[in-house]
Amino acid sequence: GARAAAAAEVHEGRSFHAAVAFPNGRIELFHFDTQEAAEPAWRKTGVVHLPQHVAQAQREVVAVSTSKDHLLATADDGSTFRWKLLAGAPRRGQPIQDAPVKHQGREWQSACALPGGKILRLASTWRKAPARGGAATVTTASELLV
């Protein structure tokens, strides 16, 4: 089914940046500054889209994260897309794409960019636990992958 993802970041307790992903691969960025406006309100600062070939493959954004200089979107296949930001707004150009090693059965949850540029991903997998006096149970296991 369709999912939505959101992330927010606070700058020095005065301003907030947020990103909201929609099922069609569109991600909207917003800014809220408590110091500048007479009546503070969320203001849209930009929109980015997953690359066309990704959207045509019907990939969905499962998570987004923001920092002062980039927006990172994680797709349901574990691929990540990183856009550079300037003052909370996306800079022109295509995102930097990074894809994980394929592994069947992983459900990708989120990702973040490490200082050196590598991507750290959170995924979960279903595993059967040994039967103890009855039927086997199925549990999830979380994995962090660089």
Side-chain angles (χ1 to χ4, degrees), residues 1-5 22-24 58-62 76 107:
R3 298 191 210 185
F22 295 90
N24 61 2
Q58 299 184 341
R59 303 272 39 120
E60 291 187 38
V61 175
V62 296
D76 57 2
E107 184 173 330

Short mmCIF file of all heavy atoms in Angstrom, two decimals, residues 1-5 22-24 58-62 76 107:
data_model
loop_
_atom_site.label_atom_id
_atom_site.label_comp_id
_atom_site.label_asym_id
_atom_site.label_seq_id
_atom_site.Cartn_x
_atom_site.Cartn_y
_atom_site.Cartn_z
N GLY A 1 0.82 -1.19 0.00
CA GLY A 1 0.00 0.00 0.00
C GLY A 1 0.86 1.24 0.00
O GLY A 1 2.06 1.21 0.22
N ALA A 2 0.21 2.36 -0.23
CA ALA A 2 0.89 3.65 -0.27
C ALA A 2 1.30 4.07 1.13
O ALA A 2 0.57 3.85 2.09
CB ALA A 2 -0.02 4.70 -0.90
N ARG A 3 2.48 4.64 1.23
CA ARG A 3 2.99 5.13 2.51
C ARG A 3 3.36 6.60 2.35
O ARG A 3 3.60 7.06 1.25
CB ARG A 3 4.26 4.39 2.90
CG ARG A 3 4.13 2.94 3.11
CD ARG A 3 5.42 2.49 3.75
NE ARG A 3 5.74 1.12 3.38
CZ ARG A 3 6.76 0.48 3.88
NH1 ARG A 3 7.57 1.07 4.71
NH2 ARG A 3 7.00 -0.75 3.54
N ALA A 4 3.43 7.28 3.46
CA ALA A 4 3.98 8.62 3.46
C ALA A 4 5.11 8.63 4.48
O ALA A 4 5.10 7.86 5.43
CB ALA A 4 2.91 9.65 3.83
N ALA A 5 6.09 9.47 4.26
CA ALA A 5 7.22 9.56 5.17
C ALA A 5 7.45 11.03 5.48
O ALA A 5 7.17 11.90 4.66
CB ALA A 5 8.47 8.94 4.52
N PHE A 22 5.36 11.79 -0.57
CA PHE A 22 4.04 11.35 -1.01
C PHE A 22 4.18 10.10 -1.87
O PHE A 22 5.26 9.84 -2.43
CB PHE A 22 3.35 12.48 -1.79
CG PHE A 22 3.08 13.67 -0.92
CD1 PHE A 22 4.01 14.69 -0.80
CD2 PHE A 22 1.90 13.76 -0.20
CE1 PHE A 22 3.77 15.79 0.01
CE2 PHE A 22 1.65 14.85 0.62
CZ PHE A 22 2.59 15.87 0.72
N PRO A 23 3.12 9.30 -2.01
CA PRO A 23 3.21 8.02 -2.73
C PRO A 23 3.70 8.10 -4.18
O PRO A 23 4.23 7.15 -4.69
CB PRO A 23 1.77 7.49 -2.69
CG PRO A 23 1.20 8.10 -1.46
CD PRO A 23 1.82 9.47 -1.37
N ASN A 24 3.59 9.23 -4.85
CA ASN A 24 4.01 9.33 -6.24
C ASN A 24 5.48 9.70 -6.42
O ASN A 24 5.91 10.04 -7.51
CB ASN A 24 3.11 10.32 -6.98
CG ASN A 24 3.21 11.72 -6.38
OD1 ASN A 24 3.97 11.96 -5.45
ND2 ASN A 24 2.44 12.64 -6.92
N GLN A 58 7.56 2.21 -10.04
CA GLN A 58 6.61 2.26 -8.93
C GLN A 58 7.27 2.04 -7.57
O GLN A 58 6.71 1.41 -6.69
CB GLN A 58 5.45 1.30 -9.16
CG GLN A 58 4.67 1.66 -10.40
CD GLN A 58 3.45 0.78 -10.61
OE1 GLN A 58 3.34 -0.30 -10.05
NE2 GLN A 58 2.54 1.26 -11.41
N ARG A 59 8.48 2.56 -7.42
CA ARG A 59 9.16 2.53 -6.12
C ARG A 59 8.52 3.59 -5.24
O ARG A 59 8.13 4.65 -5.72
CB ARG A 59 10.66 2.83 -6.28
CG ARG A 59 11.36 1.90 -7.21
CD ARG A 59 11.93 0.61 -6.64
NE ARG A 59 11.25 -0.15 -5.66
CZ ARG A 59 10.86 -1.44 -5.85
NH1 ARG A 59 11.04 -2.03 -6.98
NH2 ARG A 59 10.29 -2.09 -4.87
N GLU A 60 8.43 3.32 -3.96
CA GLU A 60 7.86 4.26 -3.01
C GLU A 60 8.90 4.71 -2.00
O GLU A 60 9.79 3.94 -1.65
CB GLU A 60 6.69 3.62 -2.26
CG GLU A 60 5.49 3.38 -3.14
CD GLU A 60 4.30 2.91 -2.32
OE1 GLU A 60 4.11 3.41 -1.19
OE2 GLU A 60 3.58 2.05 -2.82
N VAL A 61 8.78 5.93 -1.54
CA VAL A 61 9.65 6.46 -0.50
C VAL A 61 9.14 5.93 0.84
O VAL A 61 7.97 6.10 1.18
CB VAL A 61 9.66 8.00 -0.50
CG1 VAL A 61 10.47 8.54 0.66
CG2 VAL A 61 10.20 8.52 -1.82
N VAL A 62 10.02 5.26 1.59
CA VAL A 62 9.63 4.73 2.90
C VAL A 62 10.15 5.60 4.04
O VAL A 62 9.65 5.51 5.16
CB VAL A 62 10.11 3.27 3.10
CG1 VAL A 62 9.41 2.35 2.11
CG2 VAL A 62 11.61 3.14 3.01
N ASP A 76 11.62 1.89 -1.21
CA ASP A 76 11.27 0.57 -0.67
C ASP A 76 12.20 -0.55 -1.14
O ASP A 76 12.17 -1.64 -0.59
CB ASP A 76 9.81 0.23 -0.93
CG ASP A 76 9.43 0.26 -2.39
OD1 ASP A 76 10.29 0.51 -3.26
OD2 ASP A 76 8.24 0.03 -2.68
N GLU A 107 13.14 -5.86 4.29
CA GLU A 107 12.21 -4.73 4.21
C GLU A 107 12.99 -3.52 4.68
O GLU A 107 13.43 -3.45 5.82
CB GLU A 107 10.99 -4.96 5.09
CG GLU A 107 9.97 -3.87 4.94
CD GLU A 107 8.67 -4.16 5.69
OE1 GLU A 107 8.32 -5.34 5.84
OE2 GLU A 107 8.05 -3.19 6.11
#
